[in-house]
Amino acid sequence: MINWKKRKIVLKERDLNEIKNVCKILFIDDKIFPVVDILKNAGWHNTQRIKDAESIDQVEIKEAHILFVDIQGVGKKLKFKDEGLGLIIALKEKYPNKKVIVYSAEDQGKIQAFHVGIDKADKRLSKNADPYQFQTVVENYAKEAFSLTECIERIQRQILKEFGYSLESEKILKHLNTIYLKKDFSIKNIATVFNLQNAASLAGIIQLFFTTGA
């Protein structure tokens, strides 16, 4: 555990209010969904809804960090055979570092339960779930992406998984400071700073964290 109070560093831990201000949430739903306004009222100001995806590369999708996709009624404009489920597959393939949550008013255990789109999603929710469940999912995923402590822990797990060795939190923090001060978030620079031949997986974590600057 890093003692942030005693540590003289450039990067600081974000509190929840700061995370709320940087995290962008998008609902893709052809119907008005009250949870959107509930999240906004809870401080998640960068929450919006679009009726359907016009393009996988449209601005709202590219800028969003967390996407909620309804199974029914969306994916039609892009002609996905399985509508929302097809859209989810495309989103996860195009943006593997974004969190995509599938939700539906119908029983997901009965409709296409083994569809690859369901498996690709990071989480499933019932559209009738308590709004607090949506808020909890948002908070957990937002902290995972934008909390400095959790970013460091994700890097540690990835290094251990991919390269088979442990790296101390203080060392990772030092590397992140170096990357931030240089303002070079490229895979090449991240690989150089961490002394790795391939830093693509780490880059996904680090680039997301620095999306809004730090």
Side-chain angles (χ1 to χ4, degrees):
M1 179 66 68
I2 297 171
N3 189 329
W4 301 104
K5 292 183 179 179
K6 293 182 179 180
R7 194 73 186 141
K8 291 184 178 180
I9 55 175
V10 175
L11 294 176
K12 302 291 185 181
E13 180 61 287
R14 294 180 174 116
D15 62 27
L16 183 57
N17 286 330
E18 290 174 306
I19 291 174
K20 285 181 176 181
N21 287 329
V22 299
C23 184
K24 295 184 179 181
I25 304 154
L26 179 66
F27 284 79
I28 305 178
D29 193 335
D30 66 328
K31 294 181 175 62
I32 294 173
F33 191 34
V35 171
V36 174
D37 287 333
I38 290 172
L39 285 172
K40 287 182 179 179
N41 291 335
W44 300 95
H45 306 296
N46 298 309
T47 303
Q48 62 178 316
R49 177 184 70 93
I50 58 175
K51 291 183 178 180
D52 201 352
E54 303 276 352
S55 165
I56 294 297
D57 297 310
Q58 72 186 80
V59 174
E60 294 91 341
I61 290 174
K62 288 179 71 173
E63 291 186 349
H65 304 113
I66 302 172
L67 297 103
F68 288 87
V69 182
D70 191 3
I71 290 179
Q72 286 86 29
V74 305
K76 292 181 177 180
K77 289 189 176 182
L78 293 178
K79 307 298 182 184
F80 286 111
K81 182 178 67 174
D82 294 317
E83 298 187 1
L85 291 169
L87 177 59
I88 288 166
I89 295 171
L91 289 172
K92 287 303 294 185
E93 288 180 352
K94 178 78 174 183
Y95 306 106
N97 292 311
K98 295 183 186 295
K99 295 297 184 181
V100 179
I101 298 94
V102 58
Y103 68 102
S104 171
E106 297 186 33
D107 184 352
Q108 293 177 32
K110 295 179 180 178
I111 57 169
Q112 300 173 318
F114 300 102
H115 190 286
V116 67
I118 291 286
D119 294 332
K120 286 279 187 181
D122 294 287
K123 192 171 182 63
R124 311 176 197 180
L125 282 174
S126 167
K127 198 167 186 175
N128 300 317
D130 190 295
Y132 181 72
Q133 290 183 258
F134 284 84
Q135 190 170 332
T136 299
V137 168
V138 166
E139 185 172 321
N140 289 340
Y141 283 149
K143 285 180 178 179
E144 181 181 312
F146 298 112
S147 160
L148 181 54
T149 299
E150 293 206 27
C151 177
I152 289 171
E153 290 174 355
R154 290 178 69 198
I155 290 171
Q156 283 179 316
R157 291 194 296 270
Q158 188 62 39
I159 288 176
L160 183 61
K161 176 184 176 181
E162 189 171 351
F163 304 104
Y165 67 90
S166 299
L167 194 61
E168 294 179 355
S169 298
E170 294 283 350
K171 189 72 172 179
I172 294 173
L173 179 59
K174 181 179 178 182
H175 290 337
L176 290 175
N177 273 307
T178 299
I179 292 166
Y180 176 68
L181 291 171
K182 194 174 180 180
K183 302 296 185 196
D184 183 353
F185 310 119
S186 66
I187 295 176
K188 182 179 179 181
N189 184 56
I190 292 170
T192 299
V193 172
F194 277 84
N195 193 27
L196 299 170
Q197 288 188 334
N198 183 357
S201 57
L202 289 191
I205 298 170
I206 294 169
Q207 290 168 353
L208 176 60
F209 177 78
F210 286 122
T211 296
T212 55

